[in-house]
Amino acid sequence: MKACIFDLDGTLTDTLESLTYSVTETLKEMGLPVITADECRSFVGSGARVLMERSLEAAGEADLGRIGEGMERYGRIFDANCTYHVTPYEGITDMLEELRKRQIRLAVLSNKPHRQTVKVVREIFGEDMFDYVQGQQEGIPRKPSPEGVYRLLEKLKAAKEECLYVGDSEVDIQTGRNAGVRTISAAWGFRSREVLEAAGADTIISRPQELLQSVQRRDEDQ
């Protein structure tokens, strides 16, 4: 195997507190009721606009007439707080370092805006852990479109059959399926094992060490 592409929020890093804080502050500025961390957890995965649309609906703004205002406020607040209390999940850093020792190329593909994706990855993992980091940006449809995976495969110089995609949500399962790459679902993230199973996950792991075992088995089978 040559490459692994990872989702960010809920897969590599626990970003729920930063997301919840930023949405809460946005809603407060707008004079609206705040949402809970559990609501925010369920809203995450399809990008910032969808997060704000669902948050405004939960706060009583069903017609979404203030979505433009919400996006402007959220963009400003989240940019200043995207690393607020963010930590890697237990075992993630060791797992990534072991993959690099095996000369497997690593990338991040997130629906978080590109600027904040890069900011979080660099602060938590440093400059050299990943070969490429790609967040949501103009010209590239967000997941579950396979376009982001295809672009990263070109940069990583890896074929579909030589890559694993790792994520924690139903969006990630569909992304991997659309791209034709083997997908592993992380049960420690923002979705429960039951949600992942209902979404048709092929392989579900409970801790990062299991990914190394899966990579080893894949290499032995080839």
Side-chain angles (χ1 to χ4, degrees):
M1 198 187 74
K2 287 186 178 180
C4 275
I5 299 174
F6 292 90
D7 172 54
L8 182 59
D9 296 341
T11 301
L12 296 174
T13 52
D14 185 352
T15 55
L16 184 60
E17 198 165 347
S18 70
L19 292 163
T20 303
Y21 177 81
S22 298
V23 171
T24 295
E25 291 304 303
T26 299
L27 295 174
K28 283 181 179 178
E29 279 196 8
M30 297 175 72
L32 296 171
V34 300
I35 65 171
T36 66
D38 282 341
E39 285 177 313
C40 189
R41 181 195 302 272
S42 69
F43 297 163
V44 170
S46 297
R49 186 178 181 89
V50 174
L51 170 60
M52 278 311 304
E53 287 176 351
R54 293 171 178 172
S55 298
L56 287 173
E57 288 173 344
E61 292 288 315
D63 65 357
L64 297 179
R66 300 178 70 186
I67 185 62
E69 176 191 353
M71 287 299 294
E72 185 280 323
R73 292 179 185 272
Y74 177 76
R76 168 176 47 80
I77 292 169
F78 185 59
D79 190 54
N81 295 282
C82 64
T83 60
Y84 177 75
H85 290 190
V86 172
T87 58
Y89 286 102
E90 183 178 357
I92 286 291
T93 301
D94 290 342
M95 178 266 292
L96 293 172
E97 290 175 347
E98 180 59 31
L99 289 174
R100 289 195 66 85
K101 287 179 184 177
R102 299 185 188 192
Q103 298 186 321
I104 294 173
R105 307 196 80 193
L106 306 179
V108 171
L109 177 62
S110 177
N111 273 344
K112 185 195 294 288
H114 182 71
R115 173 183 165 85
Q116 287 81 36
T117 298
V118 171
K119 192 172 180 179
V120 170
V121 170
R122 287 180 176 172
E123 179 156 329
I124 303 302
F125 299 107
E127 297 276 353
D128 301 323
M129 183 70 82
F130 291 93
D131 296 284
Y132 296 99
V133 176
Q134 184 170 297
Q136 186 178 345
Q137 54 191 301
E138 289 285 330
I140 306 176
R142 68 173 183 265
K143 297 182 293 183
S145 166
E147 289 303 315
V149 173
Y150 294 158
R151 286 173 181 250
L152 284 173
L153 287 175
E154 289 181 13
K155 293 178 179 178
L156 295 166
K157 295 181 171 56
K160 296 177 185 179
E161 298 76 20
E162 299 172 317
C163 181
L164 286 178
Y165 178 74
V166 185
D168 74 300
S169 74
E170 62 275 27
V171 174
D172 294 307
I173 293 169
Q174 192 61 51
T175 300
R177 187 172 294 141
N178 290 344
V181 298
R182 185 184 170 201
T183 303
I184 293 180
S185 297
W188 58 78
F190 292 169
R191 303 291 190 268
S192 67
R193 179 176 286 269
E194 291 73 23
V195 168
L196 297 174
E197 289 173 347
D202 294 323
T203 303
I204 303 175
I205 59 176
S206 299
R207 54 194 181 91
Q209 184 66 27
E210 292 177 49
L211 179 61
L212 297 175
Q213 297 166 1
S214 182
V215 168
Q216 182 68 34
R217 287 194 299 269
R218 186 180 177 93
D219 287 343
E220 290 172 354
D221 290 342
Q222 291 179 345

